């Protein structure tokens, strides 16, 4: 059998192989997570108010992440002259939280269990939604582990308190977060246009510690200006609703809103945030592949996540 | 202004106008329903176990129904030499039941309210799903109005009792129906392949009054053979899961199963059933337009519903 | 440079090369047509009453026809043990009739001009629509060239006289044909369900020489039974509305109607007709590629046309 | 029945209910329009020169408009700290103008009738196309009601006089408008690249009162610079061809042209125009949903229209 | 944490979790395969002659297979009153063979290596293509392991010898198989229409041991008639080209051919074959998800494979 | 026949007629090319490392180019006040190079043959891919015809030497070009993010004469700044990988990378380059229509190519 390609390893083109996140190892046993980063899917979408389908977000983002599986020795970025996510950064995919149809409470509880498992293992938890309501159990899992500040990229404020009895839909997570003792503040970027949050919601958000900036306001401030508004020393939990981006690059989502961020605008904020702050948790939500016929949205999600992880561990290495 | 087409009415091509079901009048006030038939959407899909999106089923079926809006004086069928749904049959669209995201109980309660309103008005209720769990409140609304026998077209038995606490998902409706005092039996046609119902579910179904036939068994029996198995004089509630049909004509659904019914197989059973029995209620569920790129599935749903309604009222006219 | 593939001709895989019909030569000069068969596109779709887009039918059918461009020495069919469309049958593509937006009359006139040119050249004219109204100028072009009998495959009768002033839409062609002196009769196969033709239209059709059969009636008669109803010696003009087929294999059309013909049902009728009758003209209409995401409909159209042409010239060879 | 959600009104999520524009009431009787704004569909697309399908533009834009149906008490915009389209602004959907296939003249006449009805009722008419030729009857309906200046957002000049006899296709509307006595001038923004208008058309346009600016020229001028070129006091009729936008956010159109406007570029011009001028009529055309797989284009159309209406009535309130 | 769903295992809905085939365990180490069945992807598609994209076949079929992941204790089939693939049948997914772009020889060698590994482990090898050329290394891997008879389901004969130097494209595999000493014969079902194989190819096939039947010939023979033509005692290698099926249920393939098999036609032949013969290897090829917008084709592939595996091991259990 | 539109020529709307590039004449005989510009398809995609399908790039770009077929007397651009590609510029479409499945070497040789034929005829060769590996034979064809400098628009460096034996995939072309004696340098614009090229590849590229600029670096330099880095007097070969553009306008490609160029950024560089340099050859690659549902990518490709050709010949005319 000598002479064929396996002797020296596999070429492992992106279209080849099982779709775990970044083609990293799958760990089924949540008590045996041993890695710097752990990635979990949270395929829950009963919290959506327009188009569903975010339940297939984790599969789509995992598939898309294989496009960036070149370069086992890390990814070289010529602009930064840096190699990101080299072999010194270990990452595992722990699969999905169990979702129970018709049952929001159980589904959310299972997501929380997963995040706790990742945190207990000392791994940086990365959760791929699912709709934005999955952020609620993610934030709950951080209780008792020190204060966190939330950095949100989103079109919508998601600050509805309770309406028709609904407290855990995708319009509520930031309100639920702000209510937690361990959440010290929120920086909400990209907020624009009509949403399910009313004027009262905006007022309440500001009263509860939110700094709300539209896309145009972020552009006017610049990266440094935005970063300056995040409290120094804050431990960041970053939540990225893909609809924070412009529908031109993120059409595959349930409630798109025109006028969103372009790619580098978010990337540069994330890079700067990763340099200036400890990032303790990440979720990326609302990728709905049924509306993403070209795959651009899932590719964006994978590209943003992998870059953000690269920035975080590069900053640690340098520091 | 004389001389233009409005003088003598509108041509009203299918692509023109607001998409109510069959372009029939919309009645927003549920206490003012005055019609032989009332159509309501039930855009609930949190009960799905694979692909979501049936929440847009009502809109898609309404849109598709406009294709059959020719012939204001009724639809002529040359095979039957009959005019169906002529002006003597009145029909209204009462819009959708209100759905509350994350909250199955409230959403189902609102559906039940709508069916009760239609029944109270003396109209034949037609409910367009949504996933098959919407059948649960539909059947509940018939409590206290005499016995009914359920005629189900479906790939799946939907007879799960309770699993992980779930009692009202789209795998449970026939079990929930069989538990009702006013449900005297079930004829389940098209059941095939693997589903969420186990062998124990099949045994329970038969014990609780179910007559289960696969597609091939129905073909072997023929229309008359199938009809003969429905108790004489039964008042029928017909529930059509679009996945009872072959994916070749109904690809746009959440859990397709190959080997399903072709068009005339179902149509002829429905026509025969409408001749032999009183039909007291109808639902058609699981049209998921995101998987129906050509629109064939929604057109099938509209075509089946309009034909079934034609058969029912033609049978009454003749009788 | 000797030794590369051009020395012995090209492999010419289906995905390679300019998309003329069957990759046959393009003849721009309509006074210089020299072939047994000439193919023309008629990309007109202002006659549609539901979904438009048949204007791209010619391009889609040409593209699909390249799939069958293997076998330069003809196509071997093992069931018939025959080679169809060998080099003895010459075929050209004369491009499209010029279409003038907003102007039905001019567009139809240009189609008629093209068919006359093909007839004048002694070629069998094959017209690819466009909507079914393009049949109107096709039939007009046969005036003064002997009697023809129309064999129609269609879901719809297309026998509306005039409604709101419209006489040349896609619901009118068979009425317009029946009015022509050179049209001696019509055999209309596959007619089913609701359409824009009323009961009065059916009565008029029969009075004007139409033999109307539904899909189920055709099935009951069998191929021989259907053929027996076409007058002996009739010179056939065959018009195939792709919606005569089941939407399962022809979803890409403007007004699909469930319950249509399957592939061999039509193929065998066409094969028998080509054996028993002279075929003097063909059109195939209503392929709307925007609703044909998998390409199945265009492939069906190309496959049917190429087989029909094979049958016609094979019958001539044997005769 | 007390206790369920209807007691306190409906949650009315975007995916629930009949798709009228903005879920506003449907008024079938055009002599009974009582509202500040009336919206009509003009599903005509025989004027297109490339891809058809704009006939389904009204349905798609209505569907998309439901995404913005949150907030019955108006839509709060945190950037402007304003509530737009509160209950003080009344709006109705009057359905579609009747379209007659193959007949441009009748179809256009019916559109004109609808616009006249809205104007007679004192409502601001909003017409959703359809192709850009529907602007022709819209502008005709304003005859005798005072002078208007046209503000056009478009990739194409649409200033063809007559070619091959065509005077009322989608390449002609601005020429037809400029010929009207009540049209005092045109400001044409976004014009770029190759189109059906020749150099002679540009010369004629300028001679007849057109101010033509490309996307890059608009960017160089800025919002204020553009506004300064519109005559003070002009009563504006705004016509928005969705292909004025970049195909990145408006792919679903018949003749896309790269290099178009981004979202805020148009929004800010519209906001400034609504502050500085009386807006007397609006049309938005060329949304072709068959090319809009993610729905982004229809969402853009709905978002632009609802924002523009908000700006207009907010300006009136303040003034 | 007691009380949540993990205490009693996971609900594990189809849309949840990593997409290995049937959600079975992934075994990365090919020297450590311990299972009755091993599944490998062969994502190679450079052998295609029309539409590519079969490289994503393995991912699509794995995704689709999760739909059938209900019923951990096996899948109950009420028609057969049997439980298939219960816990007594062990199955693993060994990932994909390594593919080297531009290099057919290396890619095929890697596929052969994988099949040998599965055979060496004593597992039934199941290979998911990729285009039909991947059958070539699969068959080569059986050399020296006893005689096999090939049962092929396909639209095309795939019996081209060499053309323009190509010997290992997707038109060649059955010729390459027939040349092998260990291949004792071929039963080729579904062969129809034009393909890349000429009349000479058919003659050669028959001379080399092929029994060729069209879809209509299979229908005329019936299941028993077809089975009777396979030599008694033959050890079967089953190769299923998804284009053997009708495009109505298998549109997502590179070279669709109308007139193919319906679902039960193939299923019943496979069931009968599994009862009468030892099945020693399986491949299923030519699923091209880019043309499978509804997912029907991938679902068909998964459904056929899982049923076939169920039949094989059920037959062993009974025997 | 007088009176119909052919008397004065055809209207020739974009959707009418055979899809050659720009509807220019097709020249099948490569020894008889007589034109200023010759366009050839190179439908080869076995060199792709993620999504295939670029083999249909030539057909898609030809189809899209018909949108710009207005204006037989050339295309008027009001921004430049220039008429581009008037009748003085002759252009032909010579069809596609013959592609041999499974055989990269033969396919590339056939592409090279085509480019040599165009060069021998004195025409400017324009090659439409296919994947970027088709650039390899294009550059080889320029050997012995004087030095060239390569101007590349791309997301990826494509500078892999050899990996797992692959030297002619779509990750290798710029390395292969740099190895040629007649290639004097490369300007590589748009390079960003992770790709198959490692840090060593970047180092090698710079050592072999490459000037590498990211999108952000190009933006910082401006058009003039970029142009200043190209050696004066260089004869340019321009290779445009469509993934150099932002996925917002070019989703239809195999390996999209967010953060790419917008339309005018590339257009203005090309316009400036065409003014300052002789352009001796062009290829445009990686359009994969299966991921281009709205057609935007193919339209972009056609629009860029036609504008670039316009710029080149306009510069010659002025010079």
């Amino acid at each position: 059998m000598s002479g064929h390609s396996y002797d020296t390893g596999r070429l492992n083109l992106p279209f080849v192989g099982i779709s775990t996140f970044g083609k990293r190892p799958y760990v089924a046993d949540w008590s045996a997570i041993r890695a710097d980063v752990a990635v979990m899917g949270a395929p829950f979408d009963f919290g959506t108010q327009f188009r569903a389908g975010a339940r297939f977000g984790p599969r789509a983002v995992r598939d898309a992440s294989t496009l960036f599986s070149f370069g086992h020795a890390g990814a070289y970025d010529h602009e930064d002259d840096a190699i990101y996510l080299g072999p010194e950064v270990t990452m595992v995919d722990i699969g999905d939280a169990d979702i129970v149809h018709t049952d929001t409470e159980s589904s959310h509880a299972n997501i929380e269990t997963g995040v706790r498992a990742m945190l207990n293992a000392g791994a940086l938890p990365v959760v791929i939604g699912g709709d934005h309501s999955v952020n609620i159990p993610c934030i709950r899992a951080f209780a008792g582990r020190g204060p966190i500040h939330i950095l949100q990229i989103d079109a919508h404020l998601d600050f509805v308190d309770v309406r028709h009895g609904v407290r855990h839909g995708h319009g509520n997570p930031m309100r639920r977060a702000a209510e937690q003792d361990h959440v010290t503040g929120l920086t909400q970027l990209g907020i624009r246009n009509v949403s399910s949050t009313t004027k009262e919601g905006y007022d309440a958000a500001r009263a509860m510690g939110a700094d709300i900036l539209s896309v145009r306001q972020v552009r006017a401030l610049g990266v440094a200006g935005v970063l300056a508004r995040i409290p120094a020393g804050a431990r960041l939990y970053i939540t990225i609703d893909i609809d924070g981006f412009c529908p031109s690059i993120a059409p595959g989502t349930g409630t798109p809103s025109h006028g969103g961020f372009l790619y580098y605008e978010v990337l540069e904020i994330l890079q700067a945030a990763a340099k200036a702050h400890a990032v303790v948790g990440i979720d990326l939500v609302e990728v709905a592949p049924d509306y993403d016929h070209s795959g651009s949205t899932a590719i964006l999600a994978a590209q943003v996540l992998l870059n953000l992880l690269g920035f975080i561990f590069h900053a640690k290495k340098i520091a």
Side-chain angles (χ1 to χ4, degrees), chain A residues 35 60 74 93 124 153 159 230:
Chain A
D93 186 325
L124 174 70
I153 308 292
F159 218 88
I230 303 176

Side-chain angles (χ1 to χ4, degrees), chain A residues 19 41-46 48 51-64 96 99 128-131 134 252-253 284-292 297-299 301:
Chain A
S19 293
F44 174 90
D45 64 3
F46 323 153
T48 48
R51 310 191 295 199
R55 62 179 61 183
F56 286 106
R59 283 196 187 161
V61 176
R62 284 183 177 114
D63 276 352
D96 289 350
I99 301 301
I128 304 172
D131 69 48
V134 307
T253 192
L284 186 151
V285 299
E286 298 284 358
V287 174
D290 293 336
Y291 305 98
D292 190 34
T297 313
I299 289 172

Side-chain angles (χ1 to χ4, degrees), chain A residues 195-241:
Chain A
S195 79
S196 59
T197 306
T198 59
K199 177 170 177 22
E200 289 67 33
Y202 282 85
D203 294 343
R206 292 199 176 92
M208 294 171 80
D211 184 25
I212 304 169
L213 294 172
S214 75
V215 169
R216 290 183 288 189
Q217 289 163 342
V218 166
R219 284 177 186 159
L221 285 168
V223 172
V226 170
L227 260 289
R229 297 168 73 113
I230 303 176
R235 297 168 70 240
L236 293 186
Y237 181 96
I238 299 177
T239 181
I240 301 170
D241 186 323

Side-chain angles (χ1 to χ4, degrees), chain A residues 20-289:
Chain A
T20 54
F21 187 77
K23 293 198 187 170
R24 291 313 195 283
Y26 169 55
V27 173
D29 179 356
W30 290 5
S31 66
I33 301 169
R34 307 264 181 283
D36 298 314
V37 182
V39 179
M40 182 183 79
F44 174 90
D45 64 3
F46 323 153
T48 48
Q49 298 177 98
F50 190 46
R51 310 191 295 199
R55 62 179 61 183
F56 286 106
R59 283 196 187 161
V61 176
R62 284 183 177 114
D63 276 352
S65 74
T66 66
L67 173 52
F68 306 100
S69 77
F70 291 111
H72 294 149
Y76 178 67
D77 187 309
H78 78 93
E79 289 188 86
D80 296 347
D81 192 22
I83 294 176
Y84 291 116
L85 295 181
E88 76 285 0
V89 182
T90 56
M91 177 156 45
V92 295
D93 186 325
I94 68 164
D96 289 350
D98 201 45
I99 301 301
V100 181
H101 55 305
T102 74
D103 186 346
T104 299
E105 197 172 333
S106 294
S107 302
H108 279 187
N110 292 339
I111 295 167
E112 186 178 341
T113 298
V115 179
R116 286 186 188 279
M118 295 187 277
L119 288 172
N120 289 340
L124 174 70
V126 177
V127 174
I128 304 172
D131 69 48
H132 215 157
S133 76
V134 307
N135 171 270
I136 298 173
C138 290
I139 297 300
R140 281 200 302 238
F142 277 83
R145 297 170 194 267
I148 59 175
H149 181 95
I150 294 180
L151 173 60
Q152 177 196 13
I153 308 292
D154 204 333
H156 310 97
L157 197 68
D158 294 347
F159 218 88
V160 176
D161 184 3
V162 56
R163 194 178 298 154
H164 280 253
V166 178
R167 295 174 49 84
H168 299 102
H170 77 164
N172 309 98
M174 292 303 107
R175 179 77 176 225
R176 292 294 86 77
E179 294 168 352
Q180 304 284 313
D181 287 341
H182 58 291
V183 175
T184 54
L186 301 93
T187 300
Q188 301 183 275
L189 307 179
I191 313 307
R192 59 191 186 271
N193 287 307
V194 176
S195 79
S196 59
T197 306
T198 59
K199 177 170 177 22
E200 289 67 33
Y202 282 85
D203 294 343
R206 292 199 176 92
M208 294 171 80
D211 184 25
I212 304 169
L213 294 172
S214 75
V215 169
R216 290 183 288 189
Q217 289 163 342
V218 166
R219 284 177 186 159
L221 285 168
V223 172
V226 170
L227 260 289
R229 297 168 73 113
I230 303 176
R235 297 168 70 240
L236 293 186
Y237 181 96
I238 299 177
T239 181
I240 301 170
D241 186 323
I242 204 75
D243 68 22
F245 287 94
C246 179
S248 65
I249 50 173
T253 192
T255 53
S257 178
H258 284 280
F261 287 121
L262 301 181
Y263 176 67
Y264 289 120
E265 292 174 330
V266 170
L267 196 76
E268 294 175 0
I269 288 172
L270 295 178
Q271 188 167 19
K275 276 185 189 150
H277 295 270
V279 176
V280 298
I282 298 167
D283 65 56
L284 186 151
V285 299
E286 298 284 358
V287 174

